[in-house]
Amino acid sequence: MASLVPSLGQLVSDATCLFKKLFNDEAPKIAACAPGRVNLIGDHTDYNQGYVLPMALSLVTVVVGSASSGQEAIIVTASELADEPKKVDLSLPNEGFPSFPGLPHWANYLRGIMHHYRALPLPGFRAVVVSSVPLGSDDGDKVAKAIACQQAEHTHAGVPCGIMDQLVSVLGMEGHALLIDCRSLESIPVPLSDPGLVFLITNSNVKHSLASSEYALRRGQCEKAASILGKPSLRDATVNDLEDSHSGHGPTMKISDPSMISKWEDFHYSRVSTYSYCSTLFVFPVPAWHCNKLTLYSLSPSQESRAQLDDVTYRRASHVIGEICRTLKAAESFKNGSFQEFGKIMVESHNSLRDLYEVSCKDLDDLVCAAMEVEGVFGSRMTGGGFGGCTITLLKADAIHRTIQNIQERYSGTPTFYIATPSEGARVLNLS
């Protein structure tokens, strides 16, 4: 069954009790919360100024606190998974004394936020943080706050992330996903109101770190591709641009007769990779642990110009360009009630993240394959930065139990499950 998640009220109560215990029975004066998020489609497109389709979740982080005298912040986390110590005394930054990253690692996010806070000087304060999010004013003001949070991750958490996480956390709308343009920072609500449909989050419980070199390496490869193509970002590149700058993909077998391939409806989603923007199909070998033995790629026949992109950079750019298109198609499909099409696009996205961007892993692939075997499942894909973490699955509401059961039987790890409910963004809470 899906994991039980503490309510917002319970989290506030727990934080308040801990605050009183730590600070001489004094009650906190203010509380706020910010949701976790899940991205339905559009991974590794945000730092390429593309489109993403995330939603805010009912899983939240809660902070309670009070102002204090002095020039320091005393902050305590209740997370068992945070590194020690759980309590930190941080000197408040000012123009002459900025804040720098340090230990414990969990406090670097707070150091970064204080460093980029737009209304210095900060007052001293005491705060307690509790969360149910698994580890792995007007909108203009909210966007500015999101940008400050992104800067904090860059400078203090060591994560060269895009803007998606922060934007959906502050702009989230109950009952909606958000189609976010990561260049203009504009968002369009996409209703997720069909009671017969559910998004299921499956946590592989394989730990990963976005601060690792792989995340920064992927971003650098995308920037290299954009530079070679003469574009400000891969948002501005097309498949034709990409093909004109690359020759030779090393296919092991070319399929020239379309009749050799079954119709889409005749084979299982999880056993094939297809890319809809192409015209010629190639078969590539894939690692033995993939659930499919052959992966189909559709590529443009234009390969006459001198190669400028190496194969790895080409594959990274191919994913991003295709993923931006898939995200727009997926949002339109959901608006139109074309859930089969949305599911198909989800699987295409997973296959691209696995084979072209190479950020999936055996655990995530196994979870997607197990979900796709179940009647009533439309689509499934890895979500997030990759190298572990979660999958997101679109399915009929009456298929939840058998989907969870099949995953538990087929997956060798210990997954946890959450029903994804589109929820509000960050907000101040009433303590009275």
Side-chain angles (χ1 to χ4, degrees), residues 44 218 353-355 357-361 364 382 384-388:
H44 294 278
R218 295 302 187 282
L353 287 160
R354 182 193 65 201
D355 300 330
Y357 222 64
E358 297 180 279
V359 292
S360 188
C361 62
L364 295 177
M382 62 156 283
F387 309 106

Side-chain angles (χ1 to χ4, degrees), residues 357-376:
Y357 222 64
E358 297 180 279
V359 292
S360 188
C361 62
K362 183 179 186 302
D363 298 87
L364 295 177
D365 296 338
D366 288 349
L367 289 174
V368 169
C369 289
M372 293 304 305
E373 292 171 351
V374 180
E375 180 79 21

